[in-house]
Amino acid sequence: MCHKKTRPNPTHSKNQRPVGLCSSPARQKGSTTIVAIIISIVLLGLGIALSNQISSNIRQQSIEYYGARAYLAAQSGMEVAISRLINGNNPACSVITQPVTISAANVQNCTITLSCEVETEVEEPEVAAGEIRVYALGAEAQCSAGQLETSKRVLVEVRQEE
């Protein structure tokens, strides 16, 4: 982009030389290369930033997916604990917290741990028998896939009349 204006040479009236930065094509050769390098660096930076953002999004989605699996496994474990409580006729906590094995494909690589605490002789004046048992049940599921591990815990309190 050289300017087309010319200025008369004071020493020679017939010779005119161009005015501006682009006095010769030899001086322009390096500027195109520099502009190309700057554009390449900017595009490389944008590509790296976009790659990092995509990688972060994929990792976040994996955490959410395996977190949902762990929650569903903990929920299943809690259903097993409640079933053991209801069908056990006031069982001891050792009966409720026996190991749980679920063979569904969705909870592979998940371990479920049940916990139980029972409080007896809780007096409630409005209950016909006068006493109830309070079971504090917990189910924790830990799921792993490669280097990613997630765990979820579900807690429930069950009040049962004696």
Side-chain angles (χ1 to χ4, degrees):
M1 251 171 88
C2 291
H3 297 284
K4 294 292 181 183
K5 293 182 182 179
T6 57
R7 170 171 48 176
N9 193 345
T11 58
H12 299 17
S13 61
K14 293 183 182 178
N15 293 335
Q16 294 181 345
R17 64 184 172 117
V19 177
L21 298 174
C22 303
S23 60
S24 70
R27 297 180 87 187
Q28 296 178 11
K29 287 183 180 177
S31 65
T32 306
T33 305
I34 291 174
V35 170
I37 289 172
I38 291 172
I39 290 173
S40 297
I41 290 172
V42 169
L43 290 176
L44 178 65
L46 288 173
I48 290 171
L50 184 61
S51 172
N52 288 341
Q53 182 66 31
I54 290 171
S55 175
S56 176
N57 286 345
I58 289 172
R59 179 160 174 76
Q60 183 64 32
Q61 288 176 351
S62 296
I63 290 171
E64 289 177 14
Y65 173 75
Y66 288 108
R69 280 183 54 191
Y71 175 75
L72 292 174
Q75 190 72 25
S76 298
M78 181 56 68
E79 290 177 8
V80 169
I82 291 172
S83 173
R84 289 176 181 171
L85 174 66
I86 291 172
N87 296 331
N89 194 17
N90 295 333
C93 278
S94 61
V95 174
I96 296 172
T97 59
Q98 290 177 357
V100 177
T101 304
I102 299 176
S103 60
N106 295 337
V107 290
Q108 289 178 349
N109 301 327
C110 293
T111 59
I112 302 169
T113 307
L114 299 178
S115 62
C116 173
E117 292 180 18
V118 63
E119 186 178 341
T120 58
E121 301 178 10
V122 176
E123 294 190 24
E124 293 263 342
E126 296 178 8
V127 175
E131 292 183 6
I132 60 171
R133 283 187 183 200
V134 178
Y135 290 90
L137 303 175
E140 182 175 3
Q142 294 179 330
C143 297
S144 63
Q147 296 177 350
L148 183 64
E149 288 189 21
T150 57
S151 66
K152 297 291 181 180
R153 185 168 190 173
V154 177
L155 302 171
V156 173
E157 187 175 275
V158 178
R159 300 166 84 75
Q160 212 176 31
E161 198 174 317
E162 287 190 19

